[in-house]
Amino acid sequence: MAAGQQKTRTTRIQARNREAILTAALEVFSTFGFRGSTLDQIAEVAGLSKPNMLYYFGSKDAIHAELLAGLLDTWLDPLRALDPEGDPVAEIIAYVHRKLEISRLYPRESRLFANEILQGAPRIMAALAGELKELVDEKAAVLKLWADAGRIAPLPPHHLIFSIWALTQHYADFDVQVRAVLGEGHDPFAEADAFLDTLFRKLLAP
Amino acid sequence: MAAGQQKTRTTRIQARNREAILTAALEVFSTFGFRGSTLDQIAEVAGLSKPNMLYYFGSKDAIHAELLAGLLDTWLDPLRALDPEGDPVAEIIAYVHRKLEISRLYPRESRLFANEILQGAPRIMAALAGELKELVDEKAAVLKLWADAGRIAPLPPHHLIFSIWALTQHYADFDVQVRAVLGEGHDPFAEADAFLDTLFRKLLAP
DNA sequence: GTCTATACTCTGATAGAC
DNA sequence: GTCTATCAGAGTATAGAC
């Protein structure tokens, strides 16, 4: 311990502050979008002064970029896990449940993503047309094989994937509307979980 | 004609400018959200000077409020048209097509709405929990009657309506992502129209 | 009705003391 | 590493000439 502490590592505080900043920024950016958010807001939520925050991330752009960087992978992992060797219906249903679970656990990340797309995806267009399209095309090919083999209903595979995204993300992105319409005494995500299970089982039946 | 022109009516120019401002504001607000949009942007798109624009609408808030005011009715009309006396499946399918057509024709309005909800619906929460909930509850009751009579599959009616919203609005709000993933040579809305027709026919079959 | 000029506030970012 | 002070630019809104 005595001689152990390095000059360039105050890791304890640094790590905690970086984390606090990113958490606060996620909260604010996901609600107001990039341009609608201010460093003042983020600093206040993070419990730091504005200059101190800028000591960790050099600019507003840098904070936002850091958040987006980690986002796409988190978003794609559930789709990556779809196994071409598994049972078709079970695999797709499992994907739906995973995606809905992510909407439930990470609604702010979902809204951050939605905000970015709504604004024309200026900062992740390349990833959409590259990494994302590549993965979707690959999994769509699997879906098509399953359909051709008569193991699931013959549906346009890309739109089948879109429908999973739309239905699961809706419960995160439009949460406030869902709750306003349902009123008291509901558990939107639990109900959605059962409903989407039914929906996709009926849809996929050959 | 000669003595007809009133002092308080320069209606020609006024009407044209108001229209230009609202159109420009819709374009900008729907992309950047309320706080992310600036009067400079809107004025430039509208082809007016900033002070001149503020002569027509006293403030940024006033322009945004004007847009939102007209929005909810446009949004609810297709659902209002759902006829309890009609054929259940045909009525619901027709609603799906109407809603998708609105996404195709008015994507900016859809994104304006999405932005508002994403931000927690600060300006239309009352309408969501009031007018919107009321209409949805009414139509959900119709769906339930149809389900109880065995004329459509037994599904949670509110979530059935949510699924229609999610699937149709996705093609407007996430248009840029849909197109990036599909690549060249696709007509997203035409494909969606066919896909959603298939989807809901299978889903609703008793 | 429309413009130029401007008041005043907010916002992102930096300097420099501690 | 963290703070106070501060700057330059952008942002909303208004005053007042034409």
Side-chain angles (χ1 to χ4, degrees), chain A residues 35-51:
Chain A
R35 294 192 31 185
S37 304
T38 72
L39 293 180
D40 275 312
Q41 281 181 286
I42 299 172
E44 187 182 342
V45 174
L48 289 164
S49 68
K50 193 162 51 166

Side-chain angles (χ1 to χ4, degrees), chain B residues 10 14 49 51-52 56:
Chain B
T10 318
Q14 280 193 354
S49 70
N52 193 14
Y56 287 95

Side-chain angles (χ1 to χ4, degrees), chain B residues 32-197:
Chain B
F32 298 105
F34 180 74
R35 292 192 34 184
S37 302
T38 71
L39 293 179
D40 274 312
Q41 283 180 285
I42 299 172
E44 186 182 344
V45 174
L48 290 163
S49 70
K50 195 162 43 167
N52 193 14
M53 185 172 71
L54 286 170
Y55 166 77
Y56 287 95
F57 296 88
S59 70
K60 184 181 179 180
D61 270 281
I63 303 175
H64 192 253
E66 182 89 5
L67 285 176
L68 278 188
L71 193 54
L72 198 65
D73 270 340
T74 310
W75 235 234
L76 296 187
D77 277 343
L79 182 54
R80 285 209 183 85
L82 190 134
D83 181 7
E85 309 298 325
D87 175 67
V89 171
E91 284 294 324
I92 296 170
I93 295 284
Y95 174 50
V96 172
H97 287 295
R98 280 198 299 275
K99 202 76 177 59
L100 184 65
E101 186 69 358
I102 285 184
S103 279
R104 186 175 72 82
L105 293 176
Y106 306 106
R108 295 173 306 182
E109 280 84 349
S110 184
R111 282 193 285 266
L112 182 70
F113 192 75
N115 255 308
E116 179 67 14
I117 305 290
L118 272 180
Q119 290 173 23
R123 296 152 206 272
I124 53 168
M125 179 48 107
L128 295 187
E131 200 178 349
L132 176 63
K133 175 173 168 48
E134 206 171 318
L135 177 64
V136 171
D137 283 345
E138 174 197 328
K139 296 303 183 180
V142 173
L143 295 178
K144 183 164 188 315
L145 282 178
W146 286 343
D148 288 346
R151 304 182 69 188
I152 61 171
L155 298 162
H158 287 86
H159 291 272
L160 178 56
I161 292 173
F162 292 156
S163 72
I164 295 173
W165 292 350
L167 288 167
T168 55
Q169 290 173 201
H170 185 81
Y171 286 92
D173 301 343
F174 286 71
D175 180 73
V176 53
Q177 176 180 264
V178 166
R179 290 179 192 276
V181 168
L182 286 179
E184 298 291 318
H186 284 269
D187 183 340
F189 283 96
E191 296 170 17
D193 197 63
F195 172 66
L196 295 184
D197 192 285

Side-chain angles (χ1 to χ4, degrees), chain A residues 10 14 49 52 56:
Chain A
T10 317
Q14 280 193 353
S49 68
N52 193 14
Y56 287 95

Side-chain angles (χ1 to χ4, degrees), chain A residues 106-169:
Chain A
Y106 306 106
R108 295 172 307 183
E109 280 83 348
S110 184
R111 284 194 283 266
L112 183 71
F113 192 75
N115 254 307
E116 179 66 15
I117 305 290
L118 271 180
Q119 291 173 23
R123 297 154 204 272
I124 53 167
M125 180 47 108
L128 296 186
E131 199 179 347
L132 175 63
K133 173 171 168 49
E134 206 171 319
L135 177 63
V136 171
D137 283 344
E138 175 197 327
K139 297 302 184 182
V142 173
L143 296 178
K144 182 163 189 315
L145 282 178
W146 286 342
D148 289 346
R151 304 181 69 186
I152 61 171
L155 299 161
H158 286 86
H159 291 272
L160 178 56
I161 292 173
F162 292 156
S163 72
I164 296 173
W165 293 350
L167 288 166
T168 55
Q169 291 173 202

